[in-house]
Amino acid sequence: MNKSTSLIIPDTYPTLRLDQALAKLFPDYSRSYLSGWIRAGDVLVDKKKIRQSDKVHAGQLIEVLGLGHPPSKELTKTYEAQAIPLDIIYEDPSLLIINKPAGLIVHPGAGNPNHTLVNALLSYAPELANLPRAGIVHRLDKDTTGLLVVARTLIAHTHLVRELQARTIAREYEAIVNGVLISGATIEAPIARHPRQRTRMHVNLTSGRPATTHYRVIERFQHHTFIKVILETGRTHQIRVHMAYVHHSVLGDPVYGGRLQLQSDLSEELKIFLRNFKRQALHARRLTLKHPETGELCTWEAPRPQDLEDLLELLRKGRNSN
């Protein structure tokens, strides 16, 4: 159901445009939502609909009729709710923290209208149909595992989007990359969609969007390196594109990793494992953010999936046998 609210513009407010006044009166909601409510006729001033550029002043009655959910154009499309198991790390009335498995697509799209995280969320928490993208504010690639945050209310969604834009949500990943890295570093290289292969991204120094990735070495092996990665920005495929750009692609990456290289000194056991490892070795390990209701700084961790643990064990075994 829609939630409505009304209030009188305080005497301390100067004469403002309607959209400016709403932004001051309802700071928990984004300007795009407020403008959407005005355009939809869900904002009344003294019981009348006015334009967002019209001036309002102290003493006037403001009513917002659609405060319970975003404007209709922002709502999650009508996707089917499907009872897909979810690994929920944490939940409360504002948030869900999900540990996403490999193989689960986050959003429905062309060729994948069902069996996605959105379908699963709509089954678990039907109220998420009243939020953009079922409350999901950032993505993980289909075969990347680990932590995702989902907002359960519009206020939480607005707060988390603002945190992402302000780069105050800390996302820490673990990855196994090809080649032996000497030390950690920072990659600053703008990313854009590939001009010919539209499902791919690439580094474009002239027209790409700014992208910054920090990484440090956790362990070195014969021909691979286990690293921790911290994202400062959140471009599509950012870690995968940046590591390929510095010639240390994520192991198993089917898009940016090139042909599988099986060096002659690798054990047969490891060679067999690598031939059957059909995804990028990338895991969203840790997530830190300010809780949208309490303001408390919260951190969650997701254990590594078993296939990554098995791969690390084999890599250590190969290193220690030489």
Side-chain angles (χ1 to χ4, degrees):
M1 291 181 61
N2 286 2
K3 180 173 70 172
S4 63
T5 191
S6 61
L7 49 81
I8 302 292
I9 300 177
D11 292 339
T12 56
Y13 275 45
T15 298
L16 296 168
R17 288 167 47 118
L18 175 58
D19 55 356
Q20 294 172 333
L22 285 180
K24 287 173 65 69
L25 292 167
F26 301 100
D28 287 334
Y29 300 94
S30 72
R31 285 180 179 266
S32 66
Y33 292 162
L34 296 170
S35 295
W37 286 320
I38 296 170
R39 290 192 298 271
D42 288 334
V43 177
L44 303 179
V45 179
D46 291 337
K47 302 296 183 179
K48 297 178 181 178
K49 297 177 184 178
I50 67 173
R51 297 171 300 178
Q52 61 183 4
S53 59
D54 290 342
K55 298 295 180 66
V56 295
H57 53 79
Q60 288 188 297
L61 173 68
I62 303 283
E63 296 174 88
V64 183
L65 308 179
L67 203 65
H69 60 70
S72 58
K73 73 180 183 64
E74 299 279 356
L75 296 179
T76 298
K77 296 177 183 178
T78 307
Y79 296 120
E80 181 183 353
Q82 296 173 321
I84 300 167
L86 291 171
D87 182 3
I88 298 172
I89 298 290
Y90 171 84
E91 67 174 307
D92 65 26
S94 298
L95 297 176
L96 282 168
I97 305 296
I98 306 293
N99 182 19
K100 190 189 84 66
L104 181 63
I105 295 170
V106 172
H107 291 111
N112 297 289
N114 294 300
H115 306 294
T116 70
L117 180 58
V118 165
N119 301 110
L121 288 169
L122 293 176
S123 174
Y124 183 79
E127 71 274 12
L128 293 177
N130 290 326
L131 293 176
R133 300 184 179 184
I136 297 169
V137 296
H138 65 112
R139 301 188 185 201
L140 291 178
D141 299 332
K142 173 185 175 183
D143 287 323
T144 298
T145 57
L147 295 174
L148 274 169
V149 59
V150 178
R152 300 186 80 165
T153 68
L154 183 54
I155 289 176
H157 186 273
T158 302
H159 173 91
L160 292 171
V161 168
R162 286 174 177 166
E163 276 206 71
L164 277 172
Q165 292 170 343
R167 302 181 183 180
T168 56
I169 293 181
R171 290 166 290 166
E172 182 180 308
Y173 294 73
E174 291 178 344
I176 302 169
V177 299
N178 292 303
V180 181
L181 287 160
I182 302 302
S183 64
T186 293
I187 304 169
E188 293 185 282
I191 292 175
R193 192 162 298 280
H194 197 283
R196 294 179 300 279
Q197 298 169 286
R198 303 303 293 170
T199 59
R200 295 183 54 150
M201 309 300 286
H202 74 143
V203 169
N204 187 315
L205 299 177
T206 57
S207 62
R209 299 177 68 191
T212 303
T213 302
H214 309 280
Y215 68 88
R216 73 171 180 82
V217 172
I218 300 174
E219 268 186 277
R220 298 179 186 87
F221 307 107
Q222 291 168 277
H223 303 284
H224 304 89
T225 309
F226 182 34
I227 61 173
K228 178 172 80 171
V229 185
I230 296 176
L231 287 182
E232 192 170 310
T233 52
R235 308 303 176 208
T236 301
H237 299 174
Q238 179 171 319
I239 294 173
R240 298 164 63 191
V241 170
H242 271 176
M243 295 314 299
Y245 179 66
V246 297
H247 309 294
H248 289 282
S249 57
V250 177
L251 178 62
D253 192 330
V255 177
Y256 305 102
R259 293 182 59 185
L260 175 64
Q261 296 183 17
L262 298 174
Q263 291 84 0
S264 59
D265 58 344
L266 296 178
S267 68
E268 284 303 313
E269 185 181 17
L270 180 53
K271 288 179 182 178
I272 292 170
F273 190 97
L274 291 175
R275 288 192 189 102
N276 291 291
F277 192 80
K278 301 298 185 182
R279 73 174 186 91
Q280 61 267 11
L282 182 60
H283 176 61
R285 181 63 184 263
R286 183 188 298 235
L287 180 69
T288 300
L289 54 84
K290 282 187 179 180
H291 194 282
E293 290 293 336
T294 67
E296 179 186 359
L297 194 64
C298 302
T299 297
W300 298 274
E301 288 195 13
R304 291 180 208 113
Q306 193 59 50
D307 61 349
L308 281 189
E309 289 285 18
D310 293 343
L311 177 53
L312 285 168
E313 183 179 347
L314 286 173
L315 290 169
R316 290 177 184 128
K317 188 176 176 181
R319 177 191 60 197
N320 295 337
S321 65
N322 287 305

